[in-house]
Amino acid sequence: MENCAVILAGGQGKRMKSNKPKALCEVLFKPMVDWTIDAARDAGIKDICVVTGHLHEMLEAHLDGETETAFQSERLGTGHAVMQAAPFIEKFKGGNVLILNGDCPLMDGDTIERALAYHTKSDNALTVISAKVENPFGYGRIVRDDGGFLKEIVEEKDASDEQKAISEVNSGAYWFKVDVLLDALSKITNDNNQNEYYLTDCIEIAISENLKASAYTAKNSDVVLGANDRIQLLDLNDKLRIKYLQFQMLQGVDIPCSEGVIIGPDVEIGTDTRILPGTVLLGDTVIGSNCVIGPNSYITDTEVGNNVILDNVVADKSSVGDECDLGPFVHLRPNSFIKSDVHIGNFVEIKNSTIDDGTKVSHLTYVGDSDLGKNINMGCGCVTVNFDGQQKHRTTIGDGSFIGCNTNLISPVHLGKFCYTAAGSTIDKDVPDYSLAIARNHQTNKEGWVKDNDKIRNMD
Ligand code: UD1
Ligand code: CA
């Protein structure tokens, strides 16, 4: 029998002071609910149902059919939330169901798998994932009997002083036999200090029916950590940030100073690449070996080759080939494909363009909707004038061309190979191969004009 998972994400999270449901609040730029979905998937669970509630349309739109959803129209507690998913859970009778809190993004696939192995081996009716923490405040406490067997879980608001001193807490993640959960859910009440239907009451019910229930203590106690406000969210960010930096360093990535360095979980980086302060690498970014990335670079969904320098670069949905040197202060907007051995220098913006091998775009230039060939030199301050107010047009420049400083290329326009343009030209006609294009007025010097017209400027 296949196992399934239910993720509880109906809560508002008032203390986040957000216009989004709490589960969409982000840790390392990824919504908390996505971390929990990925943890379940990492543990090999295919069928997942997310319980939505507060601002459910927003959460449903985000999930976009990636998981099933069950709507909880009022927030009556974690037990009530799971009840809303009963029609989904029923399909897995005979199997096990994993319950996860949508606001605990540090839970991981490894812990879930180990807990399942323990649950199955012990033939438990239910297994709670617990952890021992320094500050148990706010969590449900794991209460054990004199023999050390699990007795019940008591919430902070219902706990006696003696129970509050217990440092073993409930992570909010559990493995249940499906039939046990469905039966216990039908028996819980809201007779407690919060008038909520607590999922945790299922444990006492199962134990009173002589079913086998125990706690699996996670090796990594961080898995219990949740976020109820932005301060706790920062704490989770710090934890996951360090986790992924350590992962990269163990793969041979050099991070001499981690200040402001954030590397997303799906980023791949080659050995001996150095990441400098203030650098954020996100999404499906892949970076080769022996690169220097940063300082202050923000790279999203971009593929970078080997031996590349990205100094103060912002890049999104683009690619940069081997041996390129970009920066300082370069912006690659989406669909910029920079091939090999290209130099792009100070204050250059590239958008939706291809720049072929060996080309140099050194200073103060805009290249948009263009295809630049090999070994071109773009002078300082060139602009591809790609927008006529209504439509975007393309510019092409052939191999070996030399574009003089401050040239405007009014697109659509095509320059052949080995062309030159005179500095300051505004080119609006195609230029054939091997031609020099000059498109500017001749200079006239009016000798003595300043004195004759009494125009000498006051130097004081
Ligand atoms: C819960 C556990 C507590 C555990 C802690 C771990 C209960 C009664 N308590 O407490 O033992 O230590 O998690 O983080 O289960 N939710 C809904 N609908 C509701 C209520 C909650 O979908 O009606 C969702 C929330 O969005 C959240 C999750 O369930 O993702 C947990 O709810 P929350 O209110 O945060 O429970 P805790 O008080 O943290
Ligand atoms: Ca919580």
Side-chain angles (χ1 to χ4, degrees), residues 146-163:
D146 295 340
F149 292 105
L150 179 62
K151 198 171 143 208
E152 58 175 332
I153 295 178
V154 179
E155 293 306 300
E156 176 80 35
K157 290 197 173 118
D158 305 297
S160 65
D161 286 345
E162 198 186 330
Q163 288 167 331

Side-chain angles (χ1 to χ4, degrees), residues 92-218:
F92 298 87
K93 274 195 168 163
N96 296 293
V97 51
L98 168 75
I99 310 286
L100 291 178
N101 271 355
D103 65 349
C104 295
L106 268 59
M107 180 51 70
D108 60 59
D110 189 50
T111 304
I112 293 168
E113 272 182 302
R114 283 170 195 268
L116 176 62
Y118 171 78
H119 174 75
T120 323
K121 195 171 140 223
S122 320
D123 194 27
N124 282 348
L126 73 92
T127 302
V128 183
I129 302 180
S130 71
K132 294 205 170 95
V133 294
E134 259 171 46
N135 179 11
F137 179 80
Y139 292 98
R141 307 297 202 284
I142 303 284
V143 182
R144 292 175 183 271
D145 66 15
D146 295 340
F149 292 105
L150 179 62
K151 198 171 143 208
E152 58 175 332
I153 295 178
V154 179
E155 293 306 300
E156 176 80 35
K157 290 197 173 118
D158 305 297
S160 65
D161 286 345
E162 198 186 330
Q163 288 167 331
K164 281 182 185 160
I166 299 173
S167 65
E168 188 182 2
V169 301
N170 171 21
S171 69
Y174 325 77
W175 278 107
F176 279 91
K177 280 187 176 163
V178 164
D179 307 67
V180 170
L181 176 65
L182 292 172
D183 184 58
L185 279 177
S186 68
K187 294 174 182 161
I188 58 175
T189 67
N190 64 352
D191 181 16
N192 51 55
N193 283 339
Q194 301 188 84
N195 291 333
E196 284 186 5
Y197 292 90
Y198 291 162
L199 177 60
T200 43
D201 283 353
C202 290
I203 288 145
E204 229 183 317
I205 291 168
I207 291 170
S208 73
E209 294 176 357
N210 290 322
L211 294 167
K212 209 173 156 198
S214 52
Y216 169 82
T217 314

Side-chain angles (χ1 to χ4, degrees), residues 15 22 78 101-104 138-139 171 224-228 232:
R15 283 183 282 159
K22 183 182 182 183
T78 48
N101 271 355
D103 65 349
C104 295
Y139 292 98
S171 69
V224 303
L225 297 177
N228 295 311
Q232 288 172 334

Side-chain angles (χ1 to χ4, degrees), residues 44 173 288 350 381 425:
I350 315 271
S425 290

